[in-house]
Amino acid sequence: MNDLTRSELLEPEDIGTNNSNNPSFDSLLGARLSRRSILKGSFGLASTAFFGTGLVACGGSDAVATTPPTTAPEVVKSLKLNFNAVAKSLADAVSLPAGYTATVLYRLGDPIAAGVADYKNDGSDSGASFAQRAGDHHDGMHFFGLGADGKYSANSSDRGLLVMNHEAITGSFLHAAGQTISNGVRTVPDEVLKEMNAHGVSVIEVIRSGSSFSYKKDSSFNRRVTALTEMALSGPAAKSPMMVTAYSTDGSKTRGTVNNCADGYTPWGTYVTCEENWAGFFRRVAASDDVSRTAREKTSFARYGVTGNGTHLWATPNGASASDTMFSRWNAMKLGSSTDGSDDFRNAPNTFGWIVEIDPFTPASTPKKRTAMGRFAHENAAYLPVVAGQPVVYYMGDDSRGEYLYKYVSTAVWDPADASKGMAAGDKYLDDGKLYVAKFNADGSGAWVELKFGSNGLTAANTTYAFADQADVLINTRLAADAVGATRMDRPEWVAVNPANGEAYLTLTNNSNRVLANPTSSQQLVDPANPRFYNDPKGTAATAQRGNPNGHIIRWKDASATATSFQWDVFLFGARAGANTANINVSNLSADNDFSSPDGLWFSQNTGLLWIQTDDGAFTDATNCMMLAAVAGKVGDGGKKTINNVDGATSKAVDTYVGAAPGDTNLRRFLVGPKECEITGVAETPDGKALFVNIQHPGEDTKPNYANPSSYGSHWPDGGSARPRSATIVITKNDGGTIGGGLA
Ligand code: FEO
Ligand code: CA
Ligand code: CA
């Protein structure tokens, strides 16, 4: 038995592979964009498009401009929180404000087909059975209303398809006594099959009866997409010679999806799942493989971190069938004699790292990996409200230390008639477009730089990596972004777009590699968009946590959907309430709303509230991970501020832009999860009266003593001596109101 707890595993996003020489901040380019000129300009999209579902003039002073009334003045409502903050907690339970109720809906192992037995939760359920059970580590999630005709119905709240990611696994509880490993080899193939089936995506039909929800075990819509499901490669990099494998000798398809972190959805009723830490799953022992690989291949592998034995040693099972490549395809070493890679899986890593579109309403449909949107450690994808005649725009983060923020702009312009066309609309809008990467400038402006072969130095003459064509630029998005001098950020996680005004928010979860001086190749200097360096001492031993251990949330406003410039400020800084408010607790958080390591980020389309979820290890001496609700302001509602960073004898002042402090009125802790969990993934019914939230990996950090179940780090949600399980909960307000707040 050799499985590791999460805290023992080195997680790729915590290490980072961006050793480029990019300045973490470029004060030259974009300085010509005056912050003032953008402030004066109006957002280029039709403002009515941002006020679709129940939003009437939220945003305080940014309320919709209206014609002066000629009769009695209209009462302008503003968005308000409707609950009292919950306290920080270390309990093995879900804490909610008074007046709210949570019920457990969908747990690890729960069956999703008739005839599949209840989950025993002792590790004895077969690997094959997991093709029809809930996967592990529930993550990003979306609720699609389901009409009586079996089709997408945007306003249906009583019946829907809940679609969610299963990002990773807790091997110690998935198997009877953890992963069976001998001399670096997985010796029980069924365990590996179970792990592959426990990754991916669930589609489940959910039904409301009264105020309570259940999922329909035998629904014909129920589906698991897993690490074994065939996927089409679509867009400019499909059929590239770099996609050729023994599974698909023309490079048109691949098998499976993994590390499905956060999510997105589309204006045409489909779901997108995002492949994050896929690189670690491949076995590629550089010491023996490098001699067989080209300089370009080695540069690419190093930049994406494709090296090592594979996170779970999936390439290695003893006794696996030689004719079925479901295990051997995780071996990315050059093993065959072909020149094109059609007899091995040397190119298999190029078929992962994408945005994957899934049609939840057609269970037999083939998911498509949308290569036009770039290849990196995708966190999520959030779109700007669509406007007829304008492109479809997505924002996407690459979650690893020092990585980048991206924007995708479709070539086709939005036709509302496409809203019912499913994957055909995906083919139209997501397979052909421009991909940009962000630069954040010192004056509060920013620039989107296009990643296009032949432009901005992305040619065969580039000295770090000789780009061959646009497919190569997309497969090696990170190298292209390095080449154009993008800004290295503090781990870009979720993006969320404010439906009230089209402004976008990005969680920068934390970064222990942020420094004040003399950065190594893997470290980044503080800069205006990532301005803090500090120590956050943890626990009674005051263990040092340095860099930016608590993270922040940055936001920006594009002048239009196609804009190549934007204006930004920092919406919120994570911190402990007692920390120095000048340079650490810059947003002046209190005991009712202090937090660390923001990750999940999502605007309710019903209420317009901003929800913030944490994936934290820094503040866990004081509290388990949590979810907060906020009333967002707007870019520029605060002002310029100087952060005076100190590290021993070194000090460095950084000028930045900081949004107005929210105070307890506009930011409150709504939920605290059970022990050793992460709160991630949130969805709502269109009426705003039910909120679905995922509780990921409770009890993951404590190595279990199987002979003594009381040793488990958590027993949530089943209680007693049960093994912990990742699960979806449903939150309702006891009086039937909308969740968290609304216009008042
Ligand atoms: Fe899977 Fe970046 O969180
Ligand atoms: Ca995440
Ligand atoms: Ca995270």
Side-chain angles (χ1 to χ4, degrees), residues 399 491 493 599 615 678:
D399 179 14
R491 293 186 53 194
E493 299 254 24
D599 185 343
D615 172 15
E678 166 184 346

Side-chain angles (χ1 to χ4, degrees), residues 6 13-14 167 261 276 379 399 491 493 509-510 597-600 614-616 678:
R6 178 181 166 92
E13 74 269 35
D14 292 339
E167 182 185 26
C261 188
E276 190 191 28
E379 182 70 24
D399 179 14
R491 293 186 53 194
E493 299 254 24
T509 193
N510 54 55
S597 305
D599 185 343
T614 68
D615 172 15
D616 182 50
E678 166 184 346

Side-chain angles (χ1 to χ4, degrees), residues 86-208:
V86 298
K88 293 185 283 290
S89 170
L90 294 169
D92 193 27
V94 171
S95 303
L96 283 175
Y100 284 91
T101 299
T103 55
V104 176
L105 178 78
Y106 185 58
R107 303 161 295 182
L108 163 70
D110 277 340
I112 63 163
V116 179
D118 287 348
Y119 187 51
K120 296 190 187 72
N121 197 21
D122 60 4
S124 67
D125 295 279
S126 72
S129 80
F130 262 82
Q132 294 178 311
R133 296 186 181 281
D136 206 349
H137 285 221
H138 304 32
D139 206 308
M141 173 168 55
H142 189 71
F143 178 97
F144 295 88
L146 179 60
D149 59 358
K151 295 188 172 145
Y152 177 48
S153 171
N155 294 319
S156 171
S157 289
D158 291 340
R159 183 182 178 218
L161 297 181
L162 191 63
V163 188
M164 75 182 71
N165 291 344
H166 298 287
E167 182 185 26
I169 57 164
T170 302
S172 55
F173 291 120
L174 197 58
H175 308 301
Q179 295 174 326
T180 310
I181 298 170
S182 177
N183 295 321
V185 171
R186 298 296 298 271
T187 54
V188 182
D190 190 67
E191 287 181 4
V192 181
L193 176 61
K194 188 188 295 187
E195 293 174 14
M196 288 196 275
N197 276 332
H199 283 74
V201 173
S202 281
V203 180
I204 52 171
E205 181 180 344
V206 293
I207 296 169
R208 178 158 64 187

Side-chain angles (χ1 to χ4, degrees), residues 178-435:
Q179 295 174 326
T180 310
I181 298 170
S182 177
N183 295 321
V185 171
R186 298 296 298 271
T187 54
V188 182
D190 190 67
E191 287 181 4
V192 181
L193 176 61
K194 188 188 295 187
E195 293 174 14
M196 288 196 275
N197 276 332
H199 283 74
V201 173
S202 281
V203 180
I204 52 171
E205 181 180 344
V206 293
I207 296 169
R208 178 158 64 187
S209 174
S211 63
S212 64
F213 278 86
S214 59
Y215 77 92
K216 189 178 174 189
K217 179 182 169 184
D218 60 353
S219 170
S220 60
F221 289 101
N222 291 352
R223 181 185 189 186
R224 285 297 320 285
V225 171
T226 72
L228 293 158
T229 305
E230 183 165 294
M231 313 250 154
L233 296 166
S234 196
K239 299 187 179 178
S240 157
M242 299 167 74
M243 296 292 211
V244 168
T245 63
Y247 184 74
S248 176
T249 55
D250 69 351
S252 64
K253 61 184 183 177
T254 187
R255 193 177 189 183
T257 185
V258 287
N259 255 108
N260 306 86
C261 188
D263 69 313
Y265 60 101
T266 67
W268 46 91
T270 64
Y271 183 77
V272 298
T273 184
C274 306
E275 298 181 329
E276 190 191 28
N277 293 319
W278 51 273
F281 280 70
F282 288 95
R283 175 179 176 81
R284 199 188 78 83
V285 181
S288 51
D289 191 52
D290 274 0
V291 295
S292 308
R293 310 308 288 253
T294 65
R296 278 167 21 97
E297 286 176 318
K298 286 185 282 188
T299 299
S300 177
F301 286 136
R303 188 64 183 82
Y304 282 87
V306 181
T307 186
N309 294 320
T311 305
H312 296 298
L313 307 172
W314 282 358
T316 68
N318 277 349
S321 163
S323 62
D324 189 332
T325 58
M326 71 173 165
F327 300 124
S328 59
R329 70 199 163 100
W330 298 104
N331 190 333
M333 316 257 292
K334 185 176 179 184
L335 302 174
S337 57
S338 69
T339 55
D340 63 358
S342 59
D343 56 352
D344 60 18
F345 289 91
R346 75 186 73 157
N347 292 325
N350 292 337
T351 71
F352 284 77
W354 303 103
I355 296 281
V356 185
E357 186 179 8
I358 298 170
D359 177 2
F361 295 90
T362 311
S365 59
T366 300
K368 292 189 174 182
K369 297 198 177 188
R370 300 293 186 186
T371 65
M373 301 175 84
R375 174 172 169 264
F376 40 91
H378 276 287
E379 182 70 24
N380 88 330
Y383 69 86
L384 271 175
V386 287
V387 175
Q390 297 205 28
V392 174
V393 174
Y394 275 89
Y395 299 111
M396 303 170 288
D398 180 356
D399 179 14
S400 192
R401 289 179 191 163
E403 292 299 344
Y404 308 125
L405 168 69
Y406 296 88
K407 175 184 180 180
Y408 172 82
V409 180
S410 69
T411 300
V413 296
W414 177 240
D415 176 355
D418 291 332
S420 60
K421 294 189 179 166
M423 296 291 273
D427 294 343
K428 177 177 176 181
Y429 296 104
L430 301 184
D431 278 349
D432 183 8
K434 293 179 178 176
L435 184 64

